[in-house]
Amino acid sequence: MTPQESIDKLSGAYSSIREQMSKVIVGQGHVIDELLIALFSRGHCLLEGVPGLAKTLMISTLSRSLSMRFSRIQFTPDLMPADITGTDVLQTNRDTGEREFRFIQGPLFHNVVLADEINRTPPKTQAALLEAMQERQVTVGQTRHTLNDPFFVLATQNPIEQEGTYQLPEAQQDRFMFKVFVKYPSFDEEKQIAIQTTAIQTDDVTQVLTGEEIIELQQIVRQVPVTDHVVDYALALVRQTRIGEPGCPDFVNDWLSWGAGPRAVQYLLLGAKVRALLNGRTHVSTEDIQALAAPVLRHRIVTNFAAESDGVTEDQVIEKLIAETPSKEGELTSDPRLQKIFAA
């Protein structure tokens, strides 16, 4: 497949899915874009926003445009790990008369899993997703069960400060490629939503991609070349978030209590490859890294009390990092402070 054919194939799939989702979803273009970038990158996605912003509808509509198995898990305070992974059940074998254990698959054994209001269940059940999201398998007793491929966890959560929510453990947040903020619609968008949802609706969403086609597109993405300069730029952004490390900026030491790990670099590069193809390029630029820095890093850095008291958010820290990190090749490698990062 030629580079242009790769661009056309991914762009065509992207346009087809967006067209189907537009039949149901009004606005939220950046959310849909980042959902699809995660899909083509083989990553999971976490959507955060107040109730009523169509987070669940967005994910279910995406699943309807894909010819894959879909399950929805409503996370509640009494949900147990076995409710999502599955469990062994003691049954009688009709042929032999002997009693034996049989594994009953849980809702994780689907291609697209909607973890709705994931932060409304206790940490014990949240932790049950860790192995599935990273290893794409489930261990029940002494037996490992491989999950289907492709496999995506698309989760929604309400803001942490709302009543009845549990903050996701940092280890689980790190398994999500993106954390996407779903914001209120504009006036015109909300007017269209009001008119559209209070009249007779016809939202016949057509399936446009199969699981095999998605796997093929994911392989195309990984073939996109990345120069050493772009890799160095992604590393520079991520490594500057680690407090106390050589080359770490003063404002990071002042505002952060925890920095991003190696997965941040991996997801920055994978997402940038998809974005490059969607923009008609077969090479990745530092602009692609900058565009995805916020959804990749905002849930991987932790602000401290000093930042909170000054009203500084994770996104503001990321914006300042981008502003103070040279993107040009010569400037990046010649910056005295950044040289400490590359030498560490």
Side-chain angles (χ1 to χ4, degrees):
M1 185 179 295
T2 66
Q4 188 57 49
E5 287 174 340
S6 300
I7 292 173
D8 293 342
K9 193 170 185 65
L10 189 69
S11 298
Y14 166 80
S15 300
S16 297
I17 295 176
R18 286 215 58 164
E19 180 183 353
Q20 297 303 316
M21 294 188 70
S22 66
K23 296 179 181 179
V24 180
I25 304 299
V26 177
Q28 303 292 358
H30 81 283
V31 179
I32 295 174
D33 284 347
E34 289 170 8
L35 268 177
L36 295 181
I37 289 175
L39 179 75
F40 296 134
S41 302
R42 201 171 181 255
H44 310 293
C45 197
L46 175 65
L47 274 60
E48 181 179 303
V50 298
L53 296 184
K55 301 183 299 295
T56 301
L57 179 62
M58 207 176 306
I59 294 173
S60 62
T61 304
L62 172 61
S63 71
R64 288 166 59 192
S65 70
L66 306 173
S67 181
M68 297 191 297
R69 297 176 63 203
F70 170 73
S71 68
R72 179 182 184 273
I73 308 172
Q74 181 64 53
F75 281 74
T76 57
D78 60 350
L79 194 71
M80 298 298 292
D83 295 331
I84 62 175
T85 61
T87 188
D88 287 322
V89 176
L90 188 62
Q91 293 184 337
T92 302
N93 189 315
R94 294 183 179 181
D95 296 329
T96 63
E98 296 180 355
R99 306 194 74 183
E100 57 188 23
F101 282 101
R102 178 188 170 209
F103 179 67
I104 304 297
Q105 295 182 348
L108 283 181
F109 287 83
H110 290 74
N111 299 110
V112 181
V113 177
L114 165 55
D116 206 12
E117 294 189 299
I118 190 173
N119 61 335
R120 287 200 179 278
T121 201
K124 182 177 182 180
T125 305
Q126 292 173 357
L129 279 175
L130 286 176
E131 181 184 15
M133 293 174 66
Q134 182 62 31
E135 307 297 335
R136 298 174 188 269
Q137 66 180 24
V138 166
T139 302
V140 177
Q142 297 181 349
T143 306
R144 295 181 180 178
H145 304 273
T146 303
L147 298 174
N148 302 309
D149 195 23
F151 173 72
F152 305 100
V153 174
L154 304 176
T156 70
Q157 72 171 12
N158 294 326
I160 298 301
E161 64 270 12
Q162 290 204 344
E163 187 175 351
T165 59
Y166 301 80
Q167 186 165 2
L168 289 181
E170 286 77 7
Q172 184 167 3
Q173 291 193 58
D174 195 39
R175 263 64 175 187
F176 287 102
M177 178 177 184
F178 289 153
K179 180 180 181 180
V180 183
F181 288 154
V182 184
K183 300 178 181 179
Y184 288 110
S186 67
F187 178 86
D188 290 337
E189 289 171 347
E190 191 162 3
K191 182 178 180 179
Q192 185 178 347
I193 292 169
I195 295 172
Q196 186 171 307
T197 56
T198 55
I200 298 175
Q201 291 181 273
T202 56
D203 53 358
D204 297 326
V205 177
T206 305
Q207 295 179 345
V208 296
L209 279 182
T210 64
E212 291 75 15
E213 289 171 329
I214 289 177
I215 293 173
E216 182 184 353
L217 291 171
Q218 291 170 348
Q219 294 301 319
I220 290 174
V221 167
R222 290 177 177 266
Q223 295 171 14
V224 176
V226 182
T227 64
D228 286 345
H229 167 60
V230 173
V231 176
D232 288 346
Y233 182 74
L235 281 164
L237 281 181
V238 173
R239 293 180 70 87
Q240 285 180 92
T241 66
R242 299 169 187 171
I243 59 173
E245 294 291 323
C248 179
D250 291 338
F251 71 88
V252 168
N253 286 317
D254 292 339
W255 287 340
L256 295 188
S257 58
W258 195 260
R263 284 195 188 94
V265 179
Q266 297 168 358
Y267 285 139
L268 276 175
L269 294 175
L270 279 173
K273 289 183 177 187
V274 177
R275 188 177 185 275
L277 288 176
L278 293 178
N279 283 276
R281 290 180 278 110
T282 56
H283 66 278
V284 179
S285 69
T286 55
E287 181 187 350
D288 297 315
I289 301 293
Q290 293 170 352
L292 300 178
V296 169
L297 293 175
R298 63 167 58 113
H299 56 302
R300 291 183 165 88
I301 61 176
V302 180
T303 53
N304 57 23
F305 177 77
E308 293 175 4
S309 61
D310 291 338
V312 176
T313 65
E314 289 86 355
D315 281 19
Q316 289 173 325
V317 175
I318 296 166
E319 288 174 8
K320 191 171 178 62
L321 272 175
I322 293 173
E324 296 193 6
T325 304
S327 59
K328 294 182 179 179
E329 187 169 0
E331 296 176 1
L332 180 69
T333 54
S334 62
D335 188 296
R337 181 176 60 81
L338 295 179
Q339 284 177 348
K340 297 178 184 178
I341 291 178
F342 299 135

